[in-house]
Every structure is written in structure tokens, then in C-alpha cells.
Amino acid sequence: MRARRLPNRAHAKVIFRHHRSNRNSGRPPATSSSMAAASTERPLQQEPPSLDDLSPSLHGFFVNCSPIQDALETPTSRLQHKTVDECMPFLTGEEHAQHNRYGVPHLDRAKHVRFLHRQLGKLPAGFTSADPSRPWFFYWCLAGLTLLGEDVSGYRGRLMATVRPMQNPEGGFAGGFGQMSHLATTYATVLSLALVGGEEAYDVVDRRTMWKWLCSLKQPDGGFQMAVGGEEDVRGAYCAAVIISLLNLPLELSPDSPACAAGHSGLFSGLGEWVGRCQTYEGGVSAFPGVEAHGAYAFCALGCLSIIDSPHRSIQRYMNVPQLISWLSSRQYGPEGGFSGRTNKLVDGCYSHWVGGCWPLIEACLKGPGGPAPGPAGVENAQRAAADEDCLFSRNGLIRYILCCCQDMSRRGGLRDKPSKFSDAYHTCYVLSGLSSVQHQWSLTAARPHEAVLTGDAWEVSPYLKGEQIFDEEDRVCTTHPVYVIPQHRVQEIQEYFASKQSF
């Protein structure tokens, strides 16, 4: 059996039309109230569902293996066949003791909560090699717990005591004690402090040295290094933009910044152009210009552009949006329903966020605040296609992959890449983030007046209730901001606190 990528955006209207006719065939259109009621009344059943049960709510790509088989076998194709064989028993409900009429099990919330709490405790000796990544463990676990509805403010004191010694005198946070500052671990630390909340936590950050350190990372070509003398890539652009906008740092560059000699005057000067140069011939986004496109870099690029200006202006200004949509939609595979991170790679649960999290930003780019944003003809065609279904990918396909294949239903708990992999904090965080994104609808309702203002974009979120819902309502997770990947109220709280500061 071979999994298939969904056709790209050139064929998107055909898919939308086919999907709509299947969904409405022989049944009246569902209302939001009737769907909500049905989600609470569906009894659990023991027998696996038939394909007829799945077909109305899932496009045929996700219930049947491809009838077309390539006669040329390669190690890559054999691994793909193995992945499909591995996933199918989970996708059809055969591997789950309890599931609803669509073959979808419940989200085992309590088990995943216990798993994340354990990850925040004392870890085995084997984790010693992960010491430079300690802030990431804080962020993954705290963000995951928040998505599951847990209050993480009780970790505030422990987090502050742990990360304060990791802040270096020259600015930024290291991954462990006595190590050099790095943008990735600084990003994770700032988000973790925002998650636990409170002025005491926010004040752990030395904003003056943070600004000086970021100025030293700003490069003559417009991008950011991850560390002084380190690699320059799209992660740096996104992490720096998040830190600057959450902490309300000055945009002016210090005179000794390496970027000043090239004529840059601000931290965001030339950044959008540099990100735009990372878009590849495929339409995706690479780590830096000239290398392979990757799903995580696509999210970092869109997130960065959505910070330096409102997404309906900045994304269209710096990216070829139709090509990007084509590449992103090609990342969803059938019959699995999950996303891959690169061309000809396997599905992986973490791309539920890295690719799935791109769609709210793409939709904001296409629609703008309150309606379609003006743009080139290719963008307008994508807008019309999106308006037909108000969705640019199969939400139910991704939901089924997450709940069926990514949950570790053993005593261990947590979420994972795919059934053959172990759960971990990284996948638990990003699979839940992807689930949140696909279960909700984000809309940009107001835009900042111009790009010189970092705040002013207003986002609204509501449960996504269009079409037939294949998960039970009790399995809906909490929301997370489409740009910052922490709850929206936590973004507002930290931004308002630092906006009230007149100086460092």
C-alpha cells in the first residue's frame, strides 16, 4: 500500500467540490447546535467502523489506499508502505478498545497530564545529554499542560529559580548552567515565563542586556544568528521577532551591531526581505537561502512575518503565497491524514503544528481583517477556493491521525510521532498544538495601522464547527495563539506589562 500526498492547490477546487458533494449526499446540512449535540450523544462502540461510516466525514484519500502503485520500489517507498501498514489498524479503530462511531478514540487527557508532570520532575541519567535543552523541556511541558486545561502557575517559583542562573551577563539565556546564550533557548525561556505568568516572572528577564545581545546577532544581510558566531537561519528570525515583540524591546540597533555597517538601522530592518529569500523553488521555506524546504521553517517564516507587520500585508509582500499553499497542501498524506515535514518524507505528529499551524496564518493572509485582502491574481484564486470550504486542508484527516495514531495509550501516556515511536515532551506539545489549531478557527479581526507598530493586530478564536465533526466535544483542547503558540491571554499580559515600562 502507498500513501498519497493530497493534490496541490492547482487541483484544490476539484477536491473541495468532491468533498462537499460527498459530505452532503443523502443528508441535510448540519447546524452548529445539532453537531454539538451529536458530539455528546454518540455512544462508544467496540466494533471497528466500516468505510461507509468514515466516508461522509473524510475525503476518499483518507479511507482507501491508492489504486495506483509505482512499480519501481526504493528504500523510501518501502518505508512509506511500512508506515501505512503501521497506521491503518489505528486509523480504522482496530487497535483501540473504545472509540466513537468514526473509529476515533477519546483524548486520554489525564494520562497525558501525568506524563507531562513527570517530564518536569527529576529525569533519568540518560537525559544528561539534553542538558543544553532544559528550557525547551520547560516550554514543551508547560505549553502542553496549558493546552490540556491545566493551571501551570504553580511552577512559577521553580521555573524562576532554575532559569535565573542561565541568564548570561551579556544577555540572553543559555540552555544550561555555564553555557553560552542561544536564541532557541532564550525563546523557550521567555515563553515559559509568559506561561507561568506574573510580574515577578517577567522581571527575571534583563531587557537591556537582551536588547544588546540581539543587536549583536543581527547580521548585515538582515537575518539573525542563533548565537554569537553561530548559524544564521529562519529559526533566528522567528525567535528574535517573538522575543522583541513580547518584551517590547526598542527596535533601534546599537551602534556596535554588525548590521549597522551594512546600513541597517533597526532590528527588523531587512528581515522580511531575508525571510523571503528563503522560499525555495518548490514553494516551501528553507533554513537559509539555497537549501531544502522544511515545514518547521515555513511556520517560523510565517510567524516572523506576522510579527513584523500584519499577516495580510507582510506575507503577501515577501512570499509567493500560491506556491507556498501548493507546497503546504502537498504535505498532508493519505490515508494517514497527518503531515510530513519535507517532500518524500514520512508523516510525523509534530508537523501537526509546524505545518498545520501555518494554515491560520495563511488564512489571515488571504482574508485580512474582516474579509479578503487585496493581492495578485494567484492569491485571489486561492481566496475564492478557501471561501468555498473555509479550509485549505482536511481537518478531519489530521484530527483522525492525531487521536488514532499519535496517542500513547499505554501507562506511559504522552503523544508521539507515529505508532512505532515513543512519546516525548516535544511531540506531546506540538501534537496538542496542532490539534488545537485544527479544532478551532482563528480570524484576524483588526490590523495595526502600519508596520512600525508591533501591537494592534486583534485575533478572535472560536470552535471550528463546519462540516461533520469526527471527534467528541470533550476531546477539544484549549486554544493557543497562532503566532506565539501560548494562550492568547498570556501574550496580552506580558505585552501589556512591558508596554507600561517607560524604559529599561
Side-chain angles (χ1 to χ4, degrees):
M1 293 184 289
R2 171 165 292 187
R4 295 163 294 165
R5 294 182 299 175
L6 288 181
N8 63 28
R9 290 296 301 171
H11 307 289
K13 287 189 176 180
V14 176
I15 294 175
F16 289 147
R17 198 175 300 119
H18 184 192
H19 190 185
R20 186 164 59 252
S21 63
N22 279 350
R23 188 181 64 207
N24 294 333
S25 176
R27 62 178 70 196
T31 64
S32 297
S33 58
S34 66
M35 285 185 287
S39 68
T40 58
E41 293 173 3
R42 295 173 190 148
L44 289 173
Q45 60 182 34
Q46 300 301 318
E47 292 299 319
S50 68
L51 291 182
D52 290 336
D53 290 326
L54 297 172
S55 300
S57 52
L58 288 167
H59 192 277
F61 282 98
F62 304 108
V63 294
N64 297 300
C65 293
S66 174
I68 302 174
Q69 302 293 327
D70 192 336
L72 176 64
E73 280 203 353
T74 66
T76 300
S77 67
R78 284 192 289 271
L79 190 56
Q80 177 59 54
H81 297 329
K82 181 180 178 181
T83 299
V84 173
D85 290 341
E86 171 188 328
C87 291
M88 284 303 288
F90 291 87
L91 293 171
T92 58
E94 296 174 18
E95 291 292 332
H96 302 295
Q98 290 189 322
H99 49 75
N100 63 20
R101 64 178 289 247
Y102 298 105
V104 176
H106 284 302
L107 179 70
D108 200 333
R109 199 178 300 262
K111 191 176 292 182
H112 304 326
V113 166
R114 288 195 299 271
F115 173 81
L116 290 170
H117 280 305
R118 288 198 302 271
Q119 300 297 301
L120 286 170
K122 188 174 182 179
L123 298 174
F127 281 83
T128 302
S129 60
D131 183 66
S133 301
R134 292 180 72 188
W136 279 115
F137 280 88
F138 306 152
Y139 167 70
W140 296 330
C141 295
L142 295 171
L145 288 167
T146 302
L147 285 162
L148 292 168
E150 296 294 298
D151 178 7
V152 298
S153 60
Y155 283 104
R156 183 183 299 131
R158 288 173 56 190
L159 178 68
M160 291 165 50
T162 304
V163 303
R164 188 176 278 116
M166 296 181 183
Q167 186 167 211
N168 286 312
E170 64 272 17
F173 290 86
F177 302 119
Q179 300 169 16
M180 68 184 300
S181 297
H182 194 278
L183 256 181
T185 51
T186 301
Y187 160 88
T189 301
V190 170
L191 289 187
S192 297
L193 292 168
L195 282 164
V196 298
E199 295 181 4
E200 190 180 8
Y202 304 152
D203 283 337
V204 168
V205 182
D206 185 331
R207 293 169 64 238
R208 178 177 290 277
T209 61
M210 180 74 77
W211 170 73
K212 289 276 292 180
W213 178 65
L214 288 171
C215 288
S216 72
L217 299 179
K218 177 73 174 178
Q219 295 300 294
D221 60 5
F224 283 87
Q225 289 181 330
M226 294 299 293
V228 175
E231 71 273 28
E232 179 185 8
D233 59 38
V234 173
R235 293 175 305 156
Y238 172 64
C239 291
V242 167
I243 294 163
I244 292 164
S245 60
L246 289 182
L247 302 183
N248 191 33
L249 298 179
L251 293 182
E252 296 80 9
L253 282 174
S254 62
D256 57 350
S257 171
C260 282
H264 294 296
S265 59
L267 285 166
F268 288 165
S269 174
L271 185 58
E273 290 82 359
W274 187 86
V275 169
R277 292 196 295 273
C278 293
Q279 188 168 21
T280 75
Y281 71 95
E282 291 183 283
V285 180
S286 58
F288 49 86
V291 295
E292 184 183 16
H294 191 284
Y297 298 131
F299 177 81
C300 289
L302 294 175
C304 173
L305 295 177
S306 298
I307 290 172
I308 64 177
D309 197 2
S310 297
H312 65 294
R313 293 193 296 258
S314 61
I315 295 175
Q316 291 194 30
R317 184 184 308 149
Y318 298 114
M319 307 292 288
N320 184 320
V321 177
Q323 285 189 5
L324 178 58
I325 289 173
S326 175
W327 187 85
L328 288 170
S329 57
S330 295
R331 302 279 64 72
Q332 189 169 28
Y333 285 12
E336 302 101 299
F339 289 112
S340 71
R342 290 180 287 164
T343 302
N344 290 329
K345 294 296 184 180
L346 304 174
V347 294
D348 183 335
C350 71
Y351 296 112
S352 304
H353 164 69
W354 294 120
V355 176
C358 290
W359 294 115
L361 304 179
I362 289 289
E363 289 169 0
C365 160
L366 295 176
K367 297 177 183 178
V379 172
E380 291 172 3
N381 291 336
Q383 289 169 351
R384 286 193 291 271
D388 288 342
E389 286 288 324
D390 200 25
C391 190
L392 293 166
F393 65 104
S394 172
R395 290 178 181 258
N396 279 343
L398 181 57
I399 289 169
R400 189 170 67 130
Y401 180 73
I402 289 173
L403 292 177
C404 292
C405 296
C406 295
Q407 294 193 82
D408 187 331
M409 294 299 200
S410 70
R411 292 178 59 188
R412 176 185 175 86
L415 292 106
R416 59 197 178 190
D417 165 351
K418 54 179 65 72
S420 60
K421 305 294 185 180
F422 286 109
S423 59
D424 56 57
Y426 167 85
H427 282 90
T428 301
C429 171
Y430 290 123
V431 172
L432 289 173
S433 296
L435 182 60
S436 174
S437 179
V438 78
Q439 289 178 334
H440 296 91
Q441 179 73 47
W442 283 91
S443 300
L444 182 69
T445 57
R448 69 193 85 173
H450 48 78
E451 62 182 335
V453 180
L454 290 187
T455 58
D457 289 347
W459 293 84
E460 286 188 359
V461 63
S462 59
Y464 187 85
L465 295 172
K466 297 181 181 180
E468 194 166 12
Q469 181 174 299
I470 66 171
F471 66 94
D472 293 343
E473 191 61 32
E474 67 191 82
D475 301 318
R476 194 183 295 274
V477 297
C478 298
T479 61
T480 190
H481 194 287
V483 175
Y484 295 96
V485 204
I486 59 175
Q488 188 174 26
H489 71 280
R490 292 302 192 189
V491 174
Q492 293 171 343
E493 288 168 1
I494 191 170
Q495 286 184 330
E496 288 172 0
Y497 177 71
F498 287 118
S500 68
K501 300 278 189 182
Q502 296 301 316
S503 65
F504 289 123

